[in-house]
Amino acid sequence: MKFRDGMWLVAEGKSLEYAEEVYSVTPREDGKALSLLCPTRKITQRADTLNLSTLTVDVGAPFDGAIFIEVTHWLGALNPGPHFDLYPAGKPETSHSSITTSEKTTTLKSGSISATIKTADHDFDIRFHATDGSKELTSLLNRSVGIAYGPAPSNLMQTSDMRNLHHYIFTQTTLGVGESVHGLGERFGAFNKVGQAVTLWNADGGTSSDQAYKNVPLWISSRGYGIFVDTPDKVELEIGSERSCRVQTSVESQRIKWYIIHGPTPKDVLYKYTILTGKPGKVPAWSYGLWLSTSFTTSYDEKTVNSFLEGMKGRDVPVEVFHFDCFWMKAFHWCDFAFDSEMFPNPKAQIARLKASGLVKKVCVWINPYLGQASPVFKLAASKGYLLRRKNGDIFQWDLWQTGMGIVDFTNPEAVEWYVGCLTELFDKGVDCIKTNFGERIPSEDVQWHNSSLSPKKMHNYYAFLYNKIVYEALQDRFGENEAVLFARTATAGTQRFPLQWGGDCESTPEAMAESIRGGISLGLCGYSYWSVDIGGFEGCPPPWIYKRWVAFGLLCSHSRLHGGNSFRMPWTVDNDDTSEHGCSKTLSKWTALKARLMPYIFAQAQDSAEKGIPLSLRAICLEFPDDPTSWFLDRQFMFGDSLLVAPVFEESGAVEFYLPAGKWTSFFTNQKKTGPGWFKEQHDFDTLPLYVRENTVLVLGKWGETRTVYDYAKSVEICLYNTKPGAKATIVDCNGTEAGVLEVGEDGYIVDQEFLTGAWHVTRDGRSGGHSKK
């Protein structure tokens, strides 16, 4: 929201007041925070203290490497929940904090970051900088903290009745020359957010708009810090778009709180951010295999489902998970958890036969948190108080999506218990994982939650956290802590704890594939380790060339799913069953086999990613190369773990241009070497793309011909050395994620510490073929 009309004028219908000076500084008793009294005019005489607003600015050290800022206008205003679930693993001690004062300043230190507050000369000036003095990060300067009213009151007497006044509070942090801003959830527009106005409000807007399914109030700066806005409320940001040298953050409230988190690297920022909001959960090895979803309009009778899976098997495409989308339930009954009896006369037996056939190992079903009134369960849920109500006591209903649908009220513990019971019945029938769709269009006006103390406006975004948490924990209770898997569309801060997420409804175009990549790398910069996409696009019918390019990209995401809207995504339906080497079926078979061979690398990297709060794939290039200015603008390529660079192809011709950061890089497919930094052009058929291995990498691959995702990752492996130096390492984990051993390159260039390897393992140098081998 813009509050000004250019540099000089106030926006029409608004009034503004700014913190003009720091009048007094009061340390907190524990010595870890300061309270600043900041009047909205400069105080030069006693009479200046009357008839004006003041802002209280609290500055504190919550844990080493982070500082919080909380700006409050009226301290007596309520601060209703919900609030983000912070420090889920426990709050760390603040062991390196202090407060020092001088004649003109007060400095709060919190580990590697400090805030220096000017206390003289009637100025408002707060500088955030590295404690060692090496770098200034950002600042709050003159006219950077304030309140706004809309419509503008003509005198303060009008504020006695706030019912028709909108009250906003805002901060403006400075943007340095050349600074870029990234993150803020799964955003499909330009990767660098400078110049954009961003509203954090979950919405079902597809991938071709400025709306987002997953709004996360965290942004990361190329200057080595991040800012997390601690509210699930609607947050509006003007990122160099009101004042080109500032990021304005505003909320309609009496207070705003945010944390500035020091890196100095973006990986460090994410690690500390996930101390606040939680580490990503770990997901089982089988989930990295291919998921087959057909179209959401499919009729799922047993003969149809078997024909899909037999077709995949006959084309050498192993399927790990089969997903039943919407119509496993009756039309108009979504989502009452009841299998359509015409398609599933005995769903438990049908699922058991499906798994016993060997065509698939796991089964997933689609759900949402709504309930259509045509289902007999609707009256039960309504009578028990399980559904969200309007303020007059009516059940909240509308005809958007499902006729007369209600919304499950997860603030009611009895509703949660009922919902979990429905999930448990699905698990009893053989369901292994859940696609948690929807949860974005949650009303914020004229509604009353069961927990009436909660703010309906804050519940709009926070609902995503509750919904996914309830389903994820039900899966954990049934299958085990690291065996739970979601396929979730909506999210907010902290939802990374309940993996995994996918990118929503994209079109079947190369432009939509690029949008999806931007969304994936942006979400990864908010602490999400796993991400997937509808391979081939959800909307429309992809031509064969787009399908094949998307298959190559999709199998190099952390998780890979074929899914369409009104058209199928089995390869033979796309190209009339072209059986040539470059047909859709052979292309899909080759890429699923490649991902299977990469599993020793992928699964080890996955454990590391979850522990550090960083993305496995799609990982923005800037996370690995933050000192390369170009890396902060790369939005058509990504890292898969710390050693593989992926550049998808967007042209039917196979032409692609990509960037390699500094160092020696080796093509995974050809073993040809390139030296960065620089831009390169290549031409690719459908079975390759620019997949480059970073120098000093020990890349462990499964044996040739391996097509499974779950196997012994230390048996009969190929150990590929890429321009390695003594000390280069690779960790191997077993299929449960437990470390099996560490391979290290010795001073003589050979692999040491290999006792845990079994089978006919071998070593190759300078790529995947030739060189020295040993058993």
Short mmCIF file of all heavy atoms in Angstrom, two decimals, residues 704-731:
data_model
loop_
_atom_site.label_atom_id
_atom_site.label_comp_id
_atom_site.label_asym_id
_atom_site.label_seq_id
_atom_site.Cartn_x
_atom_site.Cartn_y
_atom_site.Cartn_z
N TRP A 704 24.50 -49.04 -12.78
CA TRP A 704 23.85 -48.92 -14.08
C TRP A 704 22.60 -49.80 -14.12
O TRP A 704 22.61 -50.92 -13.62
CB TRP A 704 24.81 -49.35 -15.19
CG TRP A 704 25.80 -48.29 -15.56
CD1 TRP A 704 27.12 -48.23 -15.22
CD2 TRP A 704 25.53 -47.12 -16.33
NE1 TRP A 704 27.70 -47.10 -15.72
CE2 TRP A 704 26.75 -46.40 -16.42
CE3 TRP A 704 24.38 -46.61 -16.95
CZ2 TRP A 704 26.83 -45.19 -17.10
CZ3 TRP A 704 24.49 -45.40 -17.64
CH2 TRP A 704 25.70 -44.71 -17.71
N GLY A 705 21.55 -49.26 -14.71
CA GLY A 705 20.32 -50.02 -14.85
C GLY A 705 19.40 -49.91 -13.65
O GLY A 705 18.29 -50.46 -13.68
N GLU A 706 19.81 -49.22 -12.60
CA GLU A 706 18.96 -49.07 -11.42
C GLU A 706 17.77 -48.18 -11.75
O GLU A 706 17.93 -47.09 -12.30
CB GLU A 706 19.76 -48.46 -10.27
CG GLU A 706 18.99 -48.34 -8.96
CD GLU A 706 18.55 -49.69 -8.44
OE1 GLU A 706 19.40 -50.44 -7.93
OE2 GLU A 706 17.34 -49.99 -8.57
N THR A 707 16.57 -48.66 -11.46
CA THR A 707 15.36 -47.88 -11.74
C THR A 707 14.55 -47.59 -10.49
O THR A 707 13.58 -46.84 -10.54
CB THR A 707 14.46 -48.62 -12.74
OG1 THR A 707 14.08 -49.89 -12.21
CG2 THR A 707 15.18 -48.82 -14.07
N ARG A 708 14.94 -48.19 -9.36
CA ARG A 708 14.20 -47.95 -8.12
C ARG A 708 14.73 -46.70 -7.42
O ARG A 708 15.84 -46.26 -7.69
CB ARG A 708 14.34 -49.15 -7.18
CG ARG A 708 13.89 -50.48 -7.77
CD ARG A 708 14.38 -51.63 -6.89
NE ARG A 708 15.84 -51.67 -6.86
CZ ARG A 708 16.56 -52.39 -5.99
NH1 ARG A 708 15.93 -53.11 -5.08
NH2 ARG A 708 17.87 -52.38 -6.02
N THR A 709 13.96 -46.15 -6.52
CA THR A 709 14.47 -45.06 -5.69
C THR A 709 14.88 -45.55 -4.31
O THR A 709 15.62 -44.85 -3.61
CB THR A 709 13.42 -43.95 -5.54
OG1 THR A 709 12.20 -44.52 -5.07
CG2 THR A 709 13.17 -43.25 -6.86
N VAL A 710 14.42 -46.71 -3.91
CA VAL A 710 14.78 -47.26 -2.59
C VAL A 710 15.63 -48.50 -2.82
O VAL A 710 15.15 -49.52 -3.34
CB VAL A 710 13.53 -47.61 -1.77
CG1 VAL A 710 13.93 -48.13 -0.40
CG2 VAL A 710 12.61 -46.40 -1.63
N TYR A 711 16.91 -48.38 -2.47
CA TYR A 711 17.83 -49.51 -2.58
C TYR A 711 19.01 -49.24 -1.66
O TYR A 711 19.03 -48.24 -0.94
CB TYR A 711 18.26 -49.75 -4.03
CG TYR A 711 18.85 -48.55 -4.75
CD1 TYR A 711 20.22 -48.28 -4.70
CD2 TYR A 711 18.04 -47.69 -5.50
CE1 TYR A 711 20.77 -47.19 -5.38
CE2 TYR A 711 18.58 -46.60 -6.18
CZ TYR A 711 19.95 -46.35 -6.12
OH TYR A 711 20.50 -45.28 -6.78
N ASP A 712 20.00 -50.09 -1.68
CA ASP A 712 21.19 -49.91 -0.86
C ASP A 712 22.11 -48.91 -1.55
O ASP A 712 22.74 -49.22 -2.56
CB ASP A 712 21.90 -51.26 -0.68
CG ASP A 712 23.08 -51.19 0.30
OD1 ASP A 712 23.53 -50.06 0.60
OD2 ASP A 712 23.55 -52.25 0.74
N TYR A 713 22.20 -47.70 -1.00
CA TYR A 713 22.96 -46.64 -1.63
C TYR A 713 24.47 -46.79 -1.46
O TYR A 713 25.23 -45.94 -1.96
CB TYR A 713 22.51 -45.27 -1.09
CG TYR A 713 21.04 -44.99 -1.26
CD1 TYR A 713 20.30 -44.40 -0.24
CD2 TYR A 713 20.37 -45.32 -2.44
CE1 TYR A 713 18.94 -44.14 -0.39
CE2 TYR A 713 19.02 -45.07 -2.60
CZ TYR A 713 18.31 -44.48 -1.57
OH TYR A 713 16.96 -44.23 -1.72
N ALA A 714 24.90 -47.82 -0.78
CA ALA A 714 26.34 -48.09 -0.62
C ALA A 714 26.77 -49.34 -1.37
O ALA A 714 27.90 -49.79 -1.22
CB ALA A 714 26.68 -48.22 0.86
N LYS A 715 25.90 -49.91 -2.19
CA LYS A 715 26.20 -51.18 -2.86
C LYS A 715 26.35 -50.97 -4.36
O LYS A 715 25.50 -50.37 -5.01
CB LYS A 715 25.09 -52.19 -2.59
CG LYS A 715 25.35 -53.56 -3.18
CD LYS A 715 24.25 -54.55 -2.82
CE LYS A 715 24.52 -55.93 -3.40
NZ LYS A 715 23.45 -56.89 -3.04
N SER A 716 27.46 -51.48 -4.90
CA SER A 716 27.72 -51.48 -6.35
C SER A 716 27.60 -50.09 -6.94
O SER A 716 27.06 -49.91 -8.04
CB SER A 716 26.77 -52.45 -7.05
OG SER A 716 26.93 -53.76 -6.55
N VAL A 717 28.09 -49.10 -6.22
CA VAL A 717 27.94 -47.72 -6.67
C VAL A 717 29.08 -47.32 -7.61
O VAL A 717 30.13 -47.96 -7.64
CB VAL A 717 27.88 -46.75 -5.48
CG1 VAL A 717 26.64 -46.99 -4.64
CG2 VAL A 717 29.14 -46.84 -4.63
N GLU A 718 28.83 -46.27 -8.36
CA GLU A 718 29.86 -45.63 -9.16
C GLU A 718 30.23 -44.32 -8.47
O GLU A 718 29.36 -43.49 -8.20
CB GLU A 718 29.37 -45.36 -10.58
CG GLU A 718 30.43 -44.70 -11.45
CD GLU A 718 29.95 -44.43 -12.87
OE1 GLU A 718 28.77 -44.75 -13.18
OE2 GLU A 718 30.74 -43.90 -13.66
N ILE A 719 31.51 -44.16 -8.16
CA ILE A 719 32.00 -42.96 -7.48
C ILE A 719 32.72 -42.11 -8.51
O ILE A 719 33.78 -42.50 -9.02
CB ILE A 719 32.94 -43.33 -6.32
CG1 ILE A 719 32.23 -44.27 -5.35
CG2 ILE A 719 33.43 -42.08 -5.61
CD1 ILE A 719 33.16 -44.95 -4.38
N CYS A 720 32.13 -40.98 -8.84
CA CYS A 720 32.65 -40.12 -9.91
C CYS A 720 33.37 -38.93 -9.29
O CYS A 720 32.79 -38.20 -8.47
CB CYS A 720 31.51 -39.62 -10.79
SG CYS A 720 30.44 -40.93 -11.43
N LEU A 721 34.62 -38.75 -9.69
CA LEU A 721 35.43 -37.64 -9.18
C LEU A 721 35.48 -36.53 -10.22
O LEU A 721 35.85 -36.77 -11.37
CB LEU A 721 36.83 -38.12 -8.85
CG LEU A 721 36.94 -39.34 -7.90
CD1 LEU A 721 38.40 -39.66 -7.62
CD2 LEU A 721 36.18 -39.09 -6.61
N TYR A 722 35.12 -35.33 -9.80
CA TYR A 722 35.08 -34.19 -10.71
C TYR A 722 36.06 -33.12 -10.24
O TYR A 722 35.76 -32.36 -9.32
CB TYR A 722 33.67 -33.61 -10.78
CG TYR A 722 32.67 -34.50 -11.50
CD1 TYR A 722 31.96 -35.48 -10.82
CD2 TYR A 722 32.46 -34.36 -12.86
CE1 TYR A 722 31.05 -36.30 -11.47
CE2 TYR A 722 31.54 -35.17 -13.54
CZ TYR A 722 30.85 -36.13 -12.83
OH TYR A 722 29.95 -36.95 -13.49
N ASN A 723 37.25 -33.11 -10.82
CA ASN A 723 38.27 -32.11 -10.49
C ASN A 723 38.46 -32.00 -8.98
O ASN A 723 38.44 -30.91 -8.41
CB ASN A 723 37.89 -30.74 -11.07
CG ASN A 723 37.78 -30.75 -12.57
OD1 ASN A 723 38.75 -30.99 -13.27
ND2 ASN A 723 36.57 -30.51 -13.08
N THR A 724 38.62 -33.16 -8.35
CA THR A 724 38.68 -33.20 -6.89
C THR A 724 40.08 -32.89 -6.37
O THR A 724 41.08 -33.13 -7.03
CB THR A 724 38.23 -34.56 -6.36
OG1 THR A 724 38.98 -35.59 -7.00
CG2 THR A 724 36.75 -34.79 -6.60
N LYS A 725 40.11 -32.38 -5.16
CA LYS A 725 41.34 -32.13 -4.42
C LYS A 725 41.32 -32.99 -3.17
O LYS A 725 40.24 -33.43 -2.73
CB LYS A 725 41.44 -30.66 -4.03
CG LYS A 725 41.44 -29.70 -5.21
CD LYS A 725 41.40 -28.26 -4.73
CE LYS A 725 41.32 -27.29 -5.92
NZ LYS A 725 41.21 -25.87 -5.46
N PRO A 726 42.49 -33.26 -2.57
CA PRO A 726 42.48 -34.00 -1.30
C PRO A 726 41.55 -33.34 -0.29
O PRO A 726 41.53 -32.13 -0.13
CB PRO A 726 43.95 -33.93 -0.86
CG PRO A 726 44.71 -33.80 -2.14
CD PRO A 726 43.85 -32.95 -3.03
N GLY A 727 40.75 -34.17 0.37
CA GLY A 727 39.79 -33.67 1.35
C GLY A 727 38.37 -33.58 0.84
O GLY A 727 37.44 -33.39 1.63
N ALA A 728 38.18 -33.68 -0.48
CA ALA A 728 36.82 -33.68 -1.03
C ALA A 728 36.06 -34.87 -0.46
O ALA A 728 36.60 -35.97 -0.34
CB ALA A 728 36.86 -33.74 -2.55
N LYS A 729 34.79 -34.66 -0.11
CA LYS A 729 34.02 -35.68 0.59
C LYS A 729 32.64 -35.88 -0.02
O LYS A 729 32.12 -34.98 -0.68
CB LYS A 729 33.86 -35.31 2.07
CG LYS A 729 35.14 -35.25 2.88
CD LYS A 729 34.86 -34.85 4.32
CE LYS A 729 36.13 -34.78 5.13
NZ LYS A 729 35.86 -34.36 6.54
N ALA A 730 32.09 -37.04 0.26
CA ALA A 730 30.68 -37.32 -0.05
C ALA A 730 30.14 -38.22 1.04
O ALA A 730 30.75 -39.25 1.38
CB ALA A 730 30.54 -37.99 -1.41
N THR A 731 29.00 -37.83 1.59
CA THR A 731 28.35 -38.64 2.60
C THR A 731 27.36 -39.59 1.92
O THR A 731 26.66 -39.19 0.99
CB THR A 731 27.59 -37.76 3.61
OG1 THR A 731 28.53 -36.91 4.27
CG2 THR A 731 26.87 -38.60 4.66
#
